Amino acid sequence: VAVSCLIIFNFIVNIANVEVMPEVGSTAEDVFDYMDYTFTGIFIFELLLRMFVEQMRFFLQAHNLFDFVVIALSVVSWFFEEVSSVGILRMFRVFRIIRLVRRFTAWR
C-alpha cells in the first residue's frame, strides 16, 4: 500500500512539473529534480528488496519485469537530461499508474 501511495504521489508531482515547467537553473527545477531522485531512489530500494526476497522468481513475473524496465529507464534519464526524448522515457512511469489502477480494480 505504501508503494502504491508513493507511485500516486510521484505521478502528481510529475503532473505538477509539467504544468509549472520551471526555468532551467531555477529553485523550482532543483526541487522537482530532487523529488525525482528521491522517488526513483525509493523505487530502486523497493525493487532491489523484491529481487532479494524473490530471487530468480522475480524475473518470472511480468509485472516485476515491467517495474524493472520503468525504473531502469528512470535511471537512464538522469544521465541524458539534455536530450529532448528523455521526457518520453520519464512518461513510462505513467504506465505504473495504469498498472496500479488495474490492480485496484482487480481487488474489487
Side-chain angles (χ1 to χ4, degrees):
V1 175
V3 173
S4 299
C5 291
L6 284 172
I7 291 170
I8 291 168
F9 188 57
N10 180 233
F11 180 70
I12 292 168
V13 168
N14 284 330
I15 289 171
N17 187 13
V18 170
E19 287 294 317
V20 171
M21 292 293 288
E23 293 183 26
V24 176
S26 69
T27 302
E29 181 189 44
D30 292 342
V31 169
F32 282 116
D33 285 346
Y34 177 74
M35 292 178 83
D36 182 48
Y37 298 144
T38 302
F39 280 119
T40 304
I42 292 168
F43 295 142
I44 289 170
F45 176 76
E46 185 256 344
L47 183 76
L48 292 174
L49 186 62
R50 281 192 290 145
M51 290 172 80
F52 176 75
V53 170
E54 296 180 24
Q55 297 179 350
M56 291 308 293
R57 291 175 305 188
F58 175 88
F59 296 101
L60 299 176
Q61 298 178 353
H63 69 274
N64 286 339
L65 294 176
F66 174 77
D67 284 346
F68 181 84
V69 168
V70 169
I71 293 168
L73 288 173
S74 294
V75 172
V76 166
S77 73
W78 289 351
F79 299 102
F80 298 101
E81 288 189 8
E82 58 277 342
V83 179
S84 61
S85 61
V86 168
I88 295 169
L89 294 178
R90 288 185 175 157
M91 289 308 297
F92 274 100
R93 287 185 266 187
V94 172
F95 293 119
R96 289 188 88 189
I97 286 289
I98 294 168
R99 186 175 69 90
L100 189 63
V101 169
R102 284 186 180 170
R103 190 182 302 168
F104 281 136
T105 56
W107 286 347
R108 289 184 170 187

